[in-house]
Amino acid sequence: MQLITTPALTYNDVTLLPQYSTLNSRQEVDLSTDFLDYHLAIPILSAPMDTVTDLNMQRAMRAAGGLGVHHRYCAPEVLLHAVTCGFGPIAVAPSLGIDFLAQIAAMCSTATVVLDVAHGDSQIVHTYAQTACDLGLQVVSGNICTVEAAKFYVDIGAVLRVGIG
């Protein structure tokens, strides 16, 4: 492991520089974005935490134009139900069980699998991500922070989830 230190930044070290605008009203602002195969009205994904995103939050996020990522701390049947709810884009963060990926892919080939692990640059997570991609699922990497990890995920067609801690 390599220790990298940087000087601490404060609020005074960051400046947002405004640019010329042709907008006449705040109502003209468009926050929409494309994320994987989804068009989101707001660029917000909920955290895959058991105290944050369940089926109800997924519905609410979709209604607001965002994307809810269902947590993994539930019975597999609950995640499979989340995949087949049909209320819009579906994202789940299953435990790293490869047999479960085939069930998800069979039920909804457009589901997004978020690898909710603190260290996504490990053999088990790479294998899981590769399997998910091979099944045609959309994949968001486990948390990464190196160029080498990013390269692996980009090469298999995954979206990056950057930052640890």
Side-chain angles (χ1 to χ4, degrees):
M1 179 179 287
Q2 180 182 11
L3 177 62
I4 300 172
T5 59
T6 58
L9 294 177
T10 68
Y11 180 78
N12 293 331
D13 295 319
V14 178
T15 302
L16 297 178
L17 195 57
Q19 297 179 357
Y20 178 77
S21 173
T22 60
L23 298 178
N24 296 312
S25 165
R26 283 180 272 205
Q27 277 66 36
E28 294 179 53
V29 174
D30 180 8
L31 297 177
S32 67
T33 190
D34 292 322
F35 176 74
L36 295 168
D37 290 340
Y38 313 133
H39 183 74
L40 303 177
I42 57 173
I44 299 174
L45 279 71
S46 67
M49 299 167 59
D50 61 346
T51 56
V52 176
T53 309
D54 59 6
L55 292 173
N56 292 328
M57 178 58 111
Q58 281 190 298
R59 284 186 193 94
M61 288 294 299
R62 190 66 205 135
L67 181 63
V69 182
H70 198 287
H71 67 88
R72 67 177 181 240
Y73 301 105
C74 59
E77 297 78 34
V78 174
L79 278 183
L80 291 175
H81 179 65
V83 168
T84 60
C85 276
F87 50 79
I90 299 298
V92 294
S95 295
L96 299 183
I98 293 191
D99 291 341
F100 194 57
L101 286 174
Q103 288 178 285
I104 292 172
M107 296 183 94
C108 181
S109 62
T110 60
T112 297
V113 174
V114 177
L115 306 178
D116 186 31
V117 296
H119 183 53
D121 194 18
S122 64
Q123 183 178 8
I124 189 170
V125 183
H126 282 198
T127 301
Y128 193 81
Q130 183 68 63
T131 301
C133 286
D134 290 347
L135 288 168
L137 295 167
Q138 299 179 112
V139 175
V140 177
S141 76
N143 295 19
I144 60 169
C145 65
T146 66
V147 170
E148 294 80 15
K151 182 171 177 7
F152 168 78
Y153 284 108
V154 167
D155 287 349
I156 67 167
V159 170
L160 305 178
R161 188 173 182 200
V162 179
I164 296 176

